[in-house]
Amino acid sequence: MAEIEQAFDEFLAAEPKHWLVGRVGDHVDSVVNEERSAELPADAVKMPRLESAFLPDAVGPSADTLWYLPRFALYDEVLGEDPRFAFEVVQNGDLEEDGRPFNRAVLKVGVAAVAPEHLASAEAGSTLRPVPDLDPGVTLIVPLTGNDGAVTEVPLPGTTHRDGESGFIARFEIDGFLVDAVYAHLTLNSALRLEFTPTYSGYQTTLVTEPDVGLPVHGPIFHGFQFEVFGDGGNTAGSPFLPLLVNQAGRYVFFPSRAQFHRTVRLALASRTDAYRSRMTIAVEMGLDGVFRPIIDSDDLQNFARPRSEYRELTTLGDVPQRYPSVRRVFLGQVSGTVIALPAAYGILVTAQGARAACDSVVDESPATVSGCRFHFTFTVAPMADPIDMARLRADVLDVPEAVGRTLRVALPGGLDPRTASTLDGFPSGRAAFADGEGTAFTVGVDIVDDDPTPATTLVNHFLHQLAATGPAPLFGSVAVRLDDDFPQPVRTSVLLNLRATAHGDDLDTTPQPGPPPSTKALNQGPLDLRLRQCADVHDAEAPGPVVPLDGLVLPAGQSTTLAGVGAGTEVAVSRSLEVAAPLPKADMLRFLFFRTTTVQEVQHPLTVNASGLDFAAAGISTLTVAITLATHPGDPVPSFTLSPSHTVDFVHVSLPVDSAVRGLDSTVLLTLTTASGSRTVSVVHDFVDEPVLVVTSSLLH
């Protein structure tokens, strides 16, 4: 080792610097630039200089070239979910002193090293790169609260390995009572945190002086050298040091070094959600042959077995939504052998009788109502489980480890979980109620009443628009289904009220045709057109045959078509949906919705005109007379009314058939303007159901 290197190491040992871990290479002598300042030689390895700190969390020779000290973010924050997350517990028969199982666990968490936000947008055109040779250096901090309320923090050093360009997996081994503590933190309000002490490579700029005899000595001498180091590795922002060579008694050298900084990340994963719970697993080598299953609760860690729900999530199928897009999760009944497939969503059921959707007009006895009625919608909803997905799942469960020596039966949920309320979040103006139906179906009732000043007919019209909306369904909700009475967590999925996302029953009949090549006759038995998407042969105890795309073939109501390439199996599964025009004309809505008006035949509806935004004086208008003619009921008289600068808003009530909420209320509005020079009339076409208020502006009158 050169003497200057040995002296520098001894200097750091005697006077440690918080940002320096230590030297990792031989010193590099500086060269002089045109400004008489010290620079690295052109052939030196490109690394940041630790004295530079143009911005917080950055090091570099200039504002145009910066190395950033990354912040660390959980994959959960960056990706929305951590696909690398795992909490795996093993019980191998060893016992604690109190007789409980001795647990061993491994926790894995995905972490990304990303540029701090204030640097990513600091300067356009600047070169921003991560510091080189980054080693995250991670520790898991586990807070424990004693009987006296005092909190003790237990550090658990971890290891890391790279995962892609900017990510890594942090891995921690946990034993004994700490397994229970970590699991409790993950499933409750986590107080776990990750403490990072990352290290990276850089040059430590150092003024090296060799004092002559007789000159004053300003500090310790190591093997004849004095050292003065600059910067703090980017931990603090400030003006970068400029190592000038003018009037210096020594020389500048650069020591290749390892620098360090600190980061803290709270491990507040969404680990209480279903996506993470399925990856918090336990393997009891006694009785389960080491097969991992999801941890139901802390009792799994404290006991080998006890009476509890027979259901657990079936994780050996891998990524369930990826393999079966219309299925969200799969649960195994360990006693019954029933495999329950939780559908990704429930939708309106379509049968040979049509869509199971109806609307009733009912008298609203509240004296404060505008229209005098309320609307009650009833929908029968069922699992939107693609029949091809279900056939594939039935075949796949035969090969999972849990199926050895058993016969597993795939089923859909049989009803709602009465312990957890269901909601319809997408339409706050309606009151929703849910009830069990027949088989795998249940009913959704929605009541819509006047919401002063908006009449119920207008709200119903908006509801019907959303019922036929394209894109993501705006009428959505959440339901919890029943596995058994002991399963502790709600098993939630979505419910969608949309004519373009439906469940299907006996609306389509398939009959294999004789003779090769295989073909099948598909008959639309219902009153609504169907759009056929794909089909496949289904075989008993085997995977379904190849999927045959049907390219959105429209099969009209009551008509049949021939599906080529299928018909050699036990049955033919056909993925389908309703064929709904986009946009759906108002009158056509009655084909999909059974509209009953036996209780209330007509409703009161306000026709409102608002001219408060009109400057009467500036427009020279003294009065504005409003005359309305209903397009669908031109013979029904509608009283006219007059607006003025002191009376800018008015309305009239008309009695209308209830189904105007579906068909609309197109009207011709004649606006007669009285001015100093006479009068003139402006005609406006307006739908008072779509827009219950006609707003009069200056532009409307020109």
Side-chain angles (χ1 to χ4, degrees):
M1 177 188 296
E3 193 153 338
I4 190 173
E5 269 72 43
Q6 182 178 356
F8 185 72
D9 291 347
E10 293 179 8
F11 162 72
L12 291 181
E15 299 183 15
K17 310 300 177 184
H18 68 87
W19 71 94
L20 279 182
V21 178
R23 181 185 59 84
V24 294
D26 294 339
H27 76 279
V28 178
D29 287 313
S30 65
V31 297
V32 183
N33 61 22
E34 295 179 356
E35 290 78 26
R36 298 291 298 165
S37 63
E39 293 289 346
L40 283 161
D43 60 349
V45 176
K46 300 298 182 185
M47 291 192 303
R49 283 166 45 176
L50 305 181
E51 85 277 8
S52 301
F54 283 86
L55 294 167
D57 303 319
V59 288
S62 68
D64 297 326
T65 304
L66 295 175
W67 281 267
Y68 64 82
L69 280 58
R71 74 175 180 91
F72 295 104
L74 300 177
Y75 278 1
D76 182 70
E77 173 188 344
V78 177
L79 305 177
E81 181 181 336
D82 182 359
R84 307 301 190 194
F85 173 84
F87 181 69
E88 300 169 343
V89 181
V90 174
Q91 296 176 341
N92 62 3
D94 292 342
L95 300 178
E96 301 266 16
E97 292 181 358
D98 60 1
R100 295 187 307 163
F102 184 86
N103 296 311
R104 292 179 173 85
V106 171
L107 173 65
K108 299 175 186 176
V109 180
V111 183
V114 298
E117 291 84 354
H118 65 277
L119 293 178
S121 58
E123 287 193 33
S126 63
T127 301
L128 192 64
R129 67 188 73 174
V131 289
D133 307 322
L134 181 71
D135 183 354
V138 64
T139 299
L140 175 67
I141 305 298
V142 185
L144 300 176
T145 303
N147 293 331
D148 59 355
V151 177
T152 302
E153 294 190 335
V154 179
L156 294 176
T159 59
T160 61
H161 67 270
R162 283 286 179 184
D163 183 44
E165 292 185 3
S166 61
F168 57 89
I169 308 302
R171 184 181 188 275
F172 306 92
E173 295 187 0
I174 311 163
D175 290 333
F177 69 95
L178 288 175
V179 174
D180 300 65
V182 170
Y183 176 76
H185 279 298
L186 289 174
T187 54
L188 300 173
N189 293 320
S190 176
L192 299 171
R193 70 178 189 273
L194 302 179
E195 295 285 355
F196 296 91
T197 308
T199 62
Y200 64 96
S201 297
Y203 290 107
Q204 179 58 61
T205 303
T206 309
L207 177 62
V208 180
T209 306
E210 302 176 52
D212 294 330
V213 176
L215 292 178
V217 176
H218 300 290
I221 297 175
F222 301 88
H223 292 274
F225 298 93
Q226 287 182 301
F227 301 94
E228 184 178 358
V229 298
F230 301 93
D232 67 354
N235 285 278
T236 305
S239 299
F241 173 74
L242 186 63
L244 294 174
L245 293 172
V246 180
N247 298 323
Q248 294 286 2
R251 75 184 194 275
Y252 286 97
V253 299
F254 303 92
F255 287 97
S257 303
R258 292 294 288 175
Q260 67 182 2
F261 55 101
H262 184 262
R263 296 283 188 263
T264 298
V265 175
R266 183 180 176 188
L267 194 58
L269 292 166
S271 50
R272 290 176 291 169
T273 64
D274 298 337
Y276 288 96
R277 281 191 176 275
S278 65
R279 284 178 275 155
M280 285 185 270
T281 56
I282 188 168
V284 182
E285 294 181 2
M286 301 166 53
L288 290 180
D289 299 324
V291 176
F292 279 89
R293 65 169 178 80
I295 302 170
I296 295 176
D297 56 27
S298 60
D299 285 350
D300 274 338
L301 305 178
Q302 299 167 2
N303 304 287
F304 284 111
R306 69 173 181 83
R308 61 195 303 113
S309 168
E310 68 160 318
Y311 281 95
R312 66 173 179 85
E313 190 159 11
L314 188 60
T315 59
T316 48
L317 289 166
D319 190 335
V320 168
Q322 181 69 28
R323 296 181 66 169
Y324 322 101
S326 64
V327 178
R328 187 184 298 269
R329 300 168 69 189
V330 178
F331 295 87
L332 170 64
Q334 300 175 89
V335 177
S336 65
T338 301
V339 175
I340 294 184
L342 178 68
Y346 283 76
I348 299 171
L349 178 62
V350 178
T351 69
Q353 288 72 46
R356 299 288 295 274
C359 177
D360 294 277
S361 55
V362 183
V363 173
D364 192 333
E365 298 178 353
S366 171
T369 61
V370 176
S371 63
C373 82
R374 61 183 173 91
F375 293 85
H376 177 73
F377 287 87
T378 304
F379 301 94
T380 299
V381 298
M384 290 194 295
D386 189 298
I388 299 177
D389 285 347
M390 294 298 291
R392 188 177 293 116
L393 175 61
R394 287 194 295 270
D396 289 348
V397 297
L398 301 178
D399 297 324
V400 297
E402 296 86 345
V404 175
R406 306 187 65 186
T407 301
L408 303 184
R409 179 182 65 87
V410 176
L412 290 163
L416 297 170
D417 184 347
R419 301 170 298 175
T420 303
S422 300
T423 63
L424 184 65
D425 305 307
F427 196 75
S429 298
R431 295 192 301 269
F434 297 76
D436 277 328
E438 296 181 2
T440 62
F442 58 87
T443 62
V444 182
V446 181
D447 284 302
I448 298 177
V449 299
D450 297 330
D451 187 4
D452 192 32
T454 307
T457 48
T458 298
L459 295 174
V460 165
N461 187 61
H462 292 167
F463 184 83
L464 295 174
H465 275 302
Q466 294 183 355
L467 194 64
T470 58
L475 296 177
F476 61 89
S478 174
V479 294
V481 300
R482 180 183 178 276
L483 299 181
D484 63 16
D485 292 334
D486 296 315
F487 197 85
Q489 294 89 17
V491 180
R492 286 189 172 277
T493 191
S494 300
V495 58
L496 306 177
L497 299 182
N498 191 278
L499 295 175
R500 304 178 195 278
T502 47
H504 292 263
D506 61 355
D507 55 328
L508 187 72
D509 178 71
T510 57
T511 306
Q513 300 300 292
S519 63
T520 293
K521 177 184 177 182
L523 171 64
N524 183 349
Q525 301 185 108
L528 302 173
D529 298 346
L530 298 175
R531 181 174 288 272
L532 310 185
R533 304 192 179 280
Q534 56 185 12
C535 62
D537 278 325
V538 175
H539 306 269
D540 291 336
E542 295 181 16
V547 174
V548 178
L550 299 176
D551 301 322
L553 171 69
V554 175
L555 182 58
Q559 300 296 308
S560 63
T561 189
T562 298
L563 307 178
V566 290
T570 307
E571 60 177 299
V572 175
V574 182
S575 305
R576 58 197 184 272
S577 60
L578 288 178
E579 169 63 8
V580 184
L584 180 66
K586 289 182 178 179
D588 287 356
M589 175 62 74
L590 296 177
R591 295 176 51 231
F592 301 92
L593 180 73
F594 183 43
F595 205 91
R596 294 184 286 253
T597 61
T598 53
T599 307
V600 174
Q601 298 278 337
E602 292 188 335
V603 296
Q604 293 292 316
H605 190 94
L607 310 181
T608 305
V609 178
N610 184 343
S612 60
L614 177 65
D615 190 335
F616 280 76
I621 301 172
S622 59
T623 61
L624 185 68
T625 302
V626 180
I628 301 174
T629 301
L630 304 179
T632 54
H633 307 280
D636 293 348
V638 179
S640 61
F641 53 89
T642 300
L643 305 179
S644 65
S646 60
H647 180 67
T648 57
V649 180
D650 205 345
F651 65 92
V652 293
H653 272 104
V654 293
S655 182
L656 300 170
V658 168
D659 64 3
S660 63
V662 178
R663 303 184 186 277
L665 194 54
D666 289 332
S667 306
T668 300
V669 183
L670 297 180
L671 303 173
T672 302
L673 292 67
T674 302
T675 66
S677 59
S679 63
R680 63 185 180 91
T681 299
V682 176
S683 179
V684 178
V685 175
H686 188 74
D687 186 341
F688 281 96
V689 169
D690 271 349
E691 295 291 340
V693 178
L694 172 62
V695 178
V696 179
T697 61
S698 297
S699 60
L700 184 70
L701 300 178
H702 287 89

